[in-house]
Amino acid sequence: MIRQAVLEYDHAEDALERLDELIAGRQVHVLRGSHGYPVVERLLPSIEAYPGTLFAGECTDQEADRVDLDGADVLIAVGGGKLVDTAKLIAVRNGVPLIVIPTLASNCAAFTPLSVVYRDDGGYDRYDVFRVVIERVIVDDRVIHSSPYDYYRTGVIDTVAKFYEARYLSGDTSDDAGVDAGLALSKQCHRLLALELTETAFRSYGEETRYAVDHVLAIGGAVGGFGDAGTRVAIAHAVHNALSQFETTHAFLHGDKVGFGLLVQESLHRSPDVAVLQAWLERVGAPTTLETLGLDEVDIPKLVEAVVKETTLQQLPEPIDYDYLKIIFENLQKTVYR
Ligand SMILES: [Zn+2]
């Protein structure tokens, strides 16, 4: 099935200025994040007048139930990926449309009709796919441009992964129109590999950075929206989930773990791109060894088990080669052998 959630996407240097016009007198409730919200408030002081709730930090059922819209006709989400995921749950449960103001260029949560839900104890619970109406995603240059660079950097890695994971699942082209559209969009995501990924380039916010931001926030989300199971996550994200079971990896952002997972996925596939990816990840400061991620040789069997379990849950088209996977992790343990 083809699923999209967003009616309008407005990326401009003054995108916030059109918020009041979009609200058009409706009753509003704002879900505010603690980090990015002050930047939005400084640019658009009128937002302060609307009733709102401060986000507690995790996307859980309890958090979605806690937010009382008090009869509002529209919900505005101001924050990062977890906040946006929570806002989608709230909007669907209350039957109201959503307006999203991302404060980080790190994920495609603003563009996908799904939420990743966690349990109250912090563990991963499930992801819900639903019909949510996102009236507009408001991407204001001034907000994104001043956001933390590391979130953007890892967002770009996660978006490049869309290409490799889609290709892993469906090859270069497909007879299914939705999957083929997803593959075509994923090829655009692959172009981010060639762009300059530095904090200087990000802060200068030129054409290339705008192109990358649009792919992180929107096009990357549309890949899965068109291709569904044919272009969703594959081994790179399975490795990410498996790594997340190790305490030492919690200090790394999502995209950094996905990037390492990409090396594993492409090695399993015996892809000629492994060396290019490895050089790129090293250049942009992403971890490329288990040692950097805080894992030892002795952790490899547990890691292999976890990856195999994750890929079984994902119902990947091919079974994974257990022994080869172990060798790949051994080779990625340290850089000294190279
Ligand atoms: Zn991801």
Side-chain angles (χ1 to χ4, degrees), residues 34-269:
S34 42
H35 299 295
Y37 181 79
V39 180
V40 172
E41 195 184 32
R42 202 171 58 239
L43 294 165
L44 192 75
S46 63
I47 200 170
E48 212 187 330
Y50 299 124
T53 306
L54 183 66
F55 180 51
E58 291 299 334
C59 180
T60 62
D61 284 315
Q62 197 190 19
E63 177 67 355
D65 289 338
R66 180 180 71 91
V67 178
D68 180 7
L69 297 190
D70 197 22
D73 311 307
V74 57
L75 176 63
I76 303 180
V78 185
K82 285 179 177 178
L83 181 146
V84 174
D85 273 4
T86 311
K88 285 185 278 188
L89 275 185
I90 299 167
V92 169
R93 287 180 187 182
N94 289 274
V96 298
L98 181 63
I99 295 167
V100 180
I101 305 174
T103 55
L104 295 171
S106 67
N107 61 77
C108 57
F111 224 82
T112 51
L114 61 89
S115 292
V116 182
V117 185
Y118 291 84
R119 294 188 308 264
D120 290 339
D121 66 10
Y124 167 82
D125 185 15
R126 63 184 196 275
Y127 74 88
D128 284 352
V129 179
F130 36 55
R131 272 168 287 155
V132 58
V133 176
I134 299 175
E135 287 189 358
R136 186 180 296 172
V137 179
I138 297 175
V139 185
D140 194 288
D141 289 8
R142 298 164 296 177
V143 175
I144 300 302
H145 159 269
S146 62
S147 67
Y149 168 69
D150 258 346
Y151 281 88
Y152 165 72
R153 177 185 65 78
T154 51
V156 169
I157 297 172
D158 199 30
T159 305
V160 166
K162 308 263 182 199
F163 166 75
Y164 286 101
E165 295 192 290
R167 195 177 66 163
Y168 187 92
L169 294 169
S170 296
D172 287 328
T173 58
S174 170
D175 291 333
D176 178 282
V179 174
D180 212 30
L183 287 169
L185 294 176
S186 83
K187 283 171 196 157
Q188 287 186 202
C189 294
H190 186 236
R191 280 183 57 191
L192 305 195
L193 258 182
L195 308 184
E196 189 190 337
L197 187 56
T198 61
E199 180 154 11
T200 313
F202 176 58
R203 299 284 173 223
S204 67
Y205 218 75
E207 290 284 303
E208 286 197 349
T209 300
R210 298 182 66 86
Y211 184 89
V213 167
D214 284 338
H215 280 75
V216 174
L217 291 174
I219 308 296
V223 170
F226 277 107
D228 207 354
T231 54
R232 67 174 175 211
V233 295
I235 307 233
H237 275 79
V239 172
H240 163 278
N241 296 349
L243 283 172
S244 299
Q245 297 180 14
F246 293 84
E247 195 74 35
T248 56
T249 70
H250 294 178
F252 292 85
L253 292 173
H254 175 85
D256 271 342
K257 286 180 264 190
V258 171
F260 181 81
L262 259 191
L263 289 180
V264 177
Q265 173 183 300
E266 293 304 294
S267 300
L268 264 177
H269 221 197

